[in-house]
Amino acid sequence: PAANEPANATSISNAVISRINVVYLYVRDMDRSTAFYRDVLGIPLEGDGDWVEATFPDGVRFALHEAHGDVSPGTINVDFEVADIDDAVGRLRAAGVEVGEVTRERFGCFAEFRDPDGYVLELFQPPTK
């Protein structure tokens, strides 16, 4: 390892994901949760009544989303950013991971998968500029 790199650090140059893009929480009461995270914790959340978010200096976004449908309050979602969603899905499937179908929206493409403990995670490819 390099002088400033921990002995147990691994290179992510060949990783499927490039970084955490966004972590968001599904909340029961958007006003109450927005006030808590904004006013108590100091996260400068902005948005509408269904989605608020803030971007930290390292580029990672934190957001709150109103719980709805089959998503219950207390659910946490983590989007792992990828450069090529189709390549990432292929690599995970080749490793034996069950990955959902790719959804393509104006805000980007995503596909859900589960880790060995059952956590639902998402691959996320931002829209091309």
Side-chain angles (χ1 to χ4, degrees), residues 16-21 79-83 122-126:
V16 173
I17 62 126
S18 58
R19 69 186 191 101
I20 293 175
N21 181 281
D79 281 3
F80 290 107
E81 188 170 315
V82 297
E122 284 185 344
L123 298 173
F124 176 74
Q125 178 184 329

Side-chain angles (χ1 to χ4, degrees), residues 8-84:
N8 63 350
T10 58
S11 170
I12 63 167
S13 62
N14 193 32
V16 173
I17 62 126
S18 58
R19 69 186 191 101
I20 293 175
N21 181 281
V22 62
V23 174
Y24 58 94
L25 312 178
Y26 284 97
V27 300
R28 179 176 295 113
D29 182 325
M30 183 62 87
D31 292 335
R32 180 185 66 192
S33 293
T34 299
F36 174 79
Y37 286 96
R38 185 190 56 226
D39 303 339
V40 176
L41 297 183
I43 300 171
L45 295 167
E46 294 181 357
D48 59 30
D50 193 46
W51 176 273
V52 294
E53 73 175 66
T55 302
F56 285 86
D58 63 0
V60 174
R61 296 179 302 139
F62 174 79
L64 303 177
H65 194 296
E66 186 81 35
H68 54 80
D70 62 348
V71 179
S72 61
T75 300
I76 297 173
N77 192 41
V78 178
D79 281 3
F80 290 107
E81 188 170 315
V82 297
D84 181 332

